[in-house]
Amino acid sequence: MYKRVRLKDTVEVPPEHLADVTPNLVKKLLQDKLEGRMDEDVGSVVSVVNVNDIGDGAVLPNRPGVYYEADFDAVTYDPQMQEVVDGEIVEVVNFGAFVGIGPVDGLLHVSQISDEYLAYDEEGQMLASRESNRTLGVGDSVRARIVTKSIDERNPRESKIGLTAKQVGLGKHGWLKEEREKRQATTESE
């Protein structure tokens, strides 16, 4: 879930910029420091959007810069348990598919995609069903639900988000459309 939040953090302003400590400079320093980082409380910082207040600054021994506490607004992405998300398949492997959901990827394990057996086609970079001829490959849009999450603040790329698409209303968008059309055709013929 994307959120706009108000945060506080400290930034070091290098000596060459001390004459120009402005909200724009502090915003740029905060962006360099925080964007793409993961925090257990707020999720992944997507963007620093506005600096509201800059403190007086403090000098630390044996440090060249001046440290300013800043109050700022940021857009964050914090995946919530049981949240339904739309994403795009970014990689297919023999055990499932990685789905880009916001600034992070989630794993849609092969056992959580369909009740049908899905074979891995390494050459075509897809998972394919022999029963229904359905395929799932890179670039496909899917709707899934978050069922597990383990956030690694030190190394956000190592964070793990588990997804499922095995309930009604979840799965590849093309499959969902086919199912809607089938239901609609059934109700029209009755």
Side-chain angles (χ1 to χ4, degrees):
M1 173 180 313
Y2 286 95
K3 299 178 194 172
R4 184 175 179 139
V5 294
R6 179 158 289 186
L7 301 171
K8 283 185 187 272
D9 203 343
T10 303
V11 292
E12 178 185 8
V13 176
E16 61 270 18
H17 295 292
L18 290 175
D20 187 36
V21 179
T22 63
N24 282 340
L25 173 67
V26 172
K27 179 180 173 183
K28 169 86 173 85
L29 294 169
L30 286 166
Q31 288 170 330
D32 291 345
K33 179 181 178 183
L34 298 175
E35 288 181 2
R37 297 268 168 97
M38 188 71 79
D39 179 274
E40 186 69 44
D41 297 324
V42 298
S44 177
V45 177
V46 176
S47 178
V48 175
V49 291
N50 188 42
V51 174
N52 302 308
D53 187 43
I54 302 170
D56 293 333
V59 176
L60 298 179
N62 300 319
R63 297 288 176 98
V66 177
Y67 291 81
Y68 290 87
E69 185 171 282
D71 180 66
F72 59 97
D73 295 326
V75 174
T76 62
Y77 179 76
D78 187 17
Q80 299 295 307
M81 291 294 292
Q82 307 308 321
E83 179 182 2
V84 175
V85 295
D86 283 325
E88 184 176 303
I89 304 294
V90 294
E91 182 182 4
V92 177
V93 291
N94 63 342
F95 55 85
F98 288 95
V99 181
I101 52 171
V104 294
D105 294 343
L107 173 63
L108 189 53
H109 190 270
V110 70
S111 67
Q112 295 298 311
I113 296 171
S114 170
D115 288 329
E116 299 176 27
Y117 174 75
L118 297 173
Y120 175 57
D121 175 3
E122 187 173 1
E123 193 174 299
Q125 276 287 291
M126 64 177 58
L127 296 167
S129 164
R130 290 193 178 100
E131 295 173 41
S132 64
N133 290 327
R134 289 181 166 180
T135 62
L136 186 67
V138 174
D140 288 341
S141 294
V142 295
R143 179 166 291 152
R145 186 167 45 84
I146 297 172
V147 291
T148 61
K149 79 175 192 176
S150 174
I151 303 301
D152 186 337
E153 291 180 31
R154 290 203 171 116
N155 192 354
R157 299 306 284 156
E158 296 298 315
S159 296
K160 298 193 180 5
I161 297 173
L163 304 170
T164 186
K166 277 187 89 166
Q167 76 185 58
V168 175
L170 301 180
K172 180 177 170 179
H173 284 254
W175 301 345
L176 298 174
K177 183 179 178 194
E178 288 172 15
E179 289 168 12
R180 272 193 311 273
E181 289 169 354
K182 275 187 207 171
R183 281 195 308 272
Q184 192 173 15
T186 304
T187 57
E188 287 175 2
S189 65
E190 291 178 357

